Amino acid sequence: MKLVLNGHDERYIVEQSLMNLFPGEKPVYEPILPGDDCWAVVSVSEAEGLCAVTVELCQNGRTAVERLTHPLSGTEFEQEGQRRHAVARCFFLAAQTVTGVTPPWGMLTGVRPDKPVTWALAEGKTPEQARQMLEQDYFVTPSRAALALETGSAALTAAQKLGPKDIAVYVGIPFCPTRCSYCSFVSHSVERSFALVPPYVDALVEEIRAGGEMARQQGLRVRAFYMGGGTPTTLTARQMDRVLTTFEESFDILPCEEITVEAGRPDTITAEKLAVLKSHGVTRVSVNPQTMEDHVLRAIGRCHTAGDIEQAMELVAAYGFPHVNMDLIAGLPEDSPEGFRRSLDRCLAFGTDNVTVHTLALKRGSRILTEGLSIPDGTAVAEMLAYAEPVLRRSGYAPYYLYRQKQMSGSFENIGWCRPGAECWYNIYIMSELCSILSFGAGGSTKMVEPGTNRIERVFNLKYPKEYTERPEKCLENQAAFADFYRNL
């Protein structure tokens, strides 16, 4: 779609709105010529404390013109947010007129659509007022507004548990047995990159030790630990023991309420590795089948069967971990609503207390896009999700966190469901940005959050395992930035 911006440079919010409302369209900044039938002109002017926005939009020959004014008040930062909201709202109304479609999350384009609910509840609004705000101010559909109210309320509960120097720790293991077709993470197949693993573990251990010393000096308290990937259980039992031992020796783990390790792929789960996890007090293991349909597993590049998942779950159950999570993805290549229903039903039969239902996100660099794999359409994905919610609720689960990604099938979301008392607090902390996340490992994203404000800073580790192991000074720079952040609070 051709875009023309007059009187402003709010490119980001216009482009995000475009991707949300016109999936597949890309922004092009070129003059609109006679005969063009896909364009938008977004004009903004300000006078006497008012922001006036006009959007003229054309899509496939259908046109619409929307105008609105919005008062500006408060600090410059607050006015910037008000301006962006006005631009997004006006663009949404024009697009809605042209398409006749209201996406599930209305005009919300961000990763965390339940944040406004948490803020509203923290300010003293009632749950009903918070829900109405989503529907009236952001055009969120009633079903999604109700979901956001539940997860936003869980985030408020989590926030109330945290102190000003409480943090969470993430350890990344960027290796997998094979690369899935939907994946764009910086992860390596162990079959091809086995030689990278030992030096990676060496570097990771040193980074954790340095981070623990920094945290002690700043008086920081770890409330949750999460080891993800990739697939952490691609490490050997000895390597996993070494990493977890280093964490225990480097940090005061008494305040740490939970220790989560993704055991993701059943072809990496062994009794020896589970014994190591149990000996370190791991409270949650995540086994992520994504599907229980063998032909779908083959389509996404998995080298195991649904039967292997069942055997892995039996082994995990034998070790008696307090909590077990299973992940599914709606919209995978070669899947169908019937296949997704069978997968969910089989997962629920294990009695796991956590189920995460993802919606497929089309990521640049994934084989789905590079190879043009066939995937279910938005209607089929909607049918999958429409089955999941009532079945999970009847089985005693409730949604406790959610987030969105770009290019999600049907413009839906990912939802974590759990039984009462089985929440993974780390998931809430990171998705609702409630506390700082100190990340270790290649591709790690360390997030520094000032409690009670919208101030967030980020630093990033080097992306690839080889460069991560060869340049430890970058990790030390990031930890110094983390320490400076807390010294300046």
Side-chain angles (χ1 to χ4, degrees):
M1 177 179 284
K2 289 186 176 182
L3 297 176
V4 175
L5 308 184
N6 293 329
H8 67 104
D9 192 26
E10 297 291 352
R11 287 193 176 202
Y12 178 79
I13 192 62
V14 173
E15 290 178 1
Q16 293 300 304
S17 298
L18 171 65
M19 288 188 290
N20 178 43
L21 299 164
F22 299 98
E25 288 285 356
K26 295 181 179 179
V28 178
Y29 293 92
E30 296 178 358
I32 299 170
L33 303 176
D36 288 342
D37 65 353
C38 188
W39 51 264
V41 179
V42 183
S43 304
V44 176
S45 62
E46 296 180 24
E48 299 180 351
L50 291 177
C51 174
V53 183
T54 301
V55 174
E56 304 168 76
L57 191 147
C58 177
Q59 170 75 357
N60 296 329
R62 297 192 64 184
T63 61
V65 179
E66 289 288 339
R67 296 181 176 87
L68 63 81
T69 58
H70 194 288
L72 300 176
S73 62
T75 65
E76 184 176 339
F77 177 77
E78 290 170 334
Q79 291 184 24
E80 182 181 355
Q82 294 159 7
R83 187 181 304 110
R84 288 181 176 174
H85 179 83
V87 170
R89 184 181 182 91
C90 199
F91 192 97
F92 173 86
L93 291 170
Q96 189 181 49
T97 298
V98 166
T99 65
V101 173
T102 299
W105 289 101
M107 61 177 275
L108 291 174
T109 61
V111 173
R112 301 164 181 88
D114 58 354
K115 261 192 168 185
V117 170
T118 304
W119 295 336
L121 295 175
E123 292 170 357
K125 288 186 170 60
T126 67
E128 179 62 19
Q129 288 172 327
R131 185 189 61 77
Q132 288 181 355
M133 172 200 64
L134 281 186
E135 294 185 30
Q136 296 171 8
D137 294 352
Y138 297 97
F139 307 101
V140 176
T141 61
S143 64
R144 263 50 195 180
L147 272 177
L149 180 60
E150 291 182 271
T151 58
S153 298
L156 181 62
T157 299
Q160 292 168 341
K161 292 158 55 81
L162 294 170
K165 287 202 169 183
D166 285 350
I167 67 170
V169 166
Y170 177 85
V171 173
I173 308 297
F175 301 98
C176 281
T178 59
R179 189 180 183 87
C180 295
S181 64
Y182 54 80
C183 183
S184 66
F185 287 134
V186 179
S187 57
H188 290 252
S189 164
V190 170
E191 293 175 331
R192 298 182 179 181
S193 308
F194 182 77
L196 292 174
V197 179
Y200 180 83
V201 173
D202 290 341
L204 180 61
V205 163
E206 292 305 313
E207 187 192 7
I208 293 172
R209 285 180 179 145
E213 176 62 26
M214 179 273 294
R216 282 195 298 273
Q217 291 176 359
Q218 299 305 315
L220 304 177
R221 188 170 72 151
V222 177
R223 301 300 303 277
F225 171 93
Y226 194 103
M227 184 186 290
T231 305
T233 42
T234 54
L235 299 183
T236 65
R238 178 173 294 183
Q239 289 167 337
M240 294 183 66
D241 178 65
R242 186 181 175 199
V243 172
L244 290 169
T245 298
T246 302
F247 168 67
E248 293 166 350
E249 294 174 346
S250 302
F251 291 86
D252 177 8
I253 64 170
L254 286 178
C256 187
E257 294 183 285
E258 60 180 27
I259 300 175
T260 300
V261 176
E262 289 186 357
R265 304 275 285 267
D267 42 344
T268 67
I269 297 174
T270 66
E272 184 183 14
K273 294 177 186 179
L274 293 176
V276 167
L277 300 185
K278 187 70 175 178
S279 71
H280 284 282
V282 168
T283 58
R284 185 183 313 272
V285 172
S286 187
V287 180
N288 304 330
Q290 317 304 8
T291 177
M292 296 294 287
E293 297 281 285
D294 284 338
H295 71 285
V296 181
L297 287 169
R298 290 192 296 270
I300 65 176
R302 292 288 184 100
C303 294
H304 61 81
T305 66
D308 295 327
I309 296 168
E310 293 179 343
Q311 291 178 10
M313 286 297 293
E314 291 175 2
L315 190 58
V316 168
Y319 280 85
F321 292 98
H323 305 290
V324 180
N325 175 76
M326 298 187 80
D327 280 12
L328 292 175
I329 300 178
L332 287 173
E334 307 301 329
D335 206 358
S336 65
E338 296 76 17
F340 179 83
R341 288 198 290 270
R342 287 192 293 267
S343 293
L344 179 58
D345 291 345
R346 289 178 75 177
C347 286
L348 293 179
F350 294 118
T352 177
D353 59 4
N354 276 246
V355 176
T356 307
V357 179
H358 297 270
T359 301
L360 179 67
L362 298 176
K363 301 174 182 177
R364 288 182 299 177
S366 67
R367 288 198 297 108
I368 288 178
L369 290 183
T370 59
E371 299 178 12
L373 302 182
S374 174
I375 58 174
D377 62 18
T379 301
V381 173
E383 188 176 341
M384 297 175 187
L385 299 180
Y387 176 78
E389 179 172 351
V391 167
L392 285 161
R393 290 190 186 278
R394 286 197 300 270
S395 300
Y397 299 82
Y400 74 98
Y401 83 100
L402 65 82
Y403 68 103
R404 301 180 68 213
Q405 295 168 280
K406 295 178 181 178
Q407 305 297 326
M408 297 192 81
S409 294
S411 193
F412 290 111
E413 67 287 309
N414 305 318
I415 303 177
W417 298 81
C418 74
R419 288 183 169 142
E423 296 86 354
C424 178
W425 296 106
Y426 175 88
N427 286 332
I428 301 177
Y429 296 159
I430 189 169
M431 291 307 165
S432 297
E433 298 180 319
L434 300 180
C435 70
S436 295
I437 309 292
L438 180 57
S439 294
F440 299 105
S445 173
T446 284
K447 184 182 299 183
M448 294 161 277
V449 178
E450 182 175 353
T453 75
N454 287 324
R455 181 190 169 205
I456 298 174
E457 297 180 14
R458 294 174 174 84
V459 290
F460 304 92
N461 279 1
L462 296 168
K463 290 177 65 174
Y464 299 101
K466 189 172 188 300
E467 63 178 354
Y468 166 81
T469 61
E470 293 174 347
R471 292 184 55 195
E473 68 276 7
K474 182 64 172 71
C475 297
L476 296 178
E477 291 173 9
N478 291 347
Q479 291 182 14
F482 199 89
D484 287 342
F485 182 88
Y486 277 93
R487 275 194 292 267
N488 295 326
L489 282 183

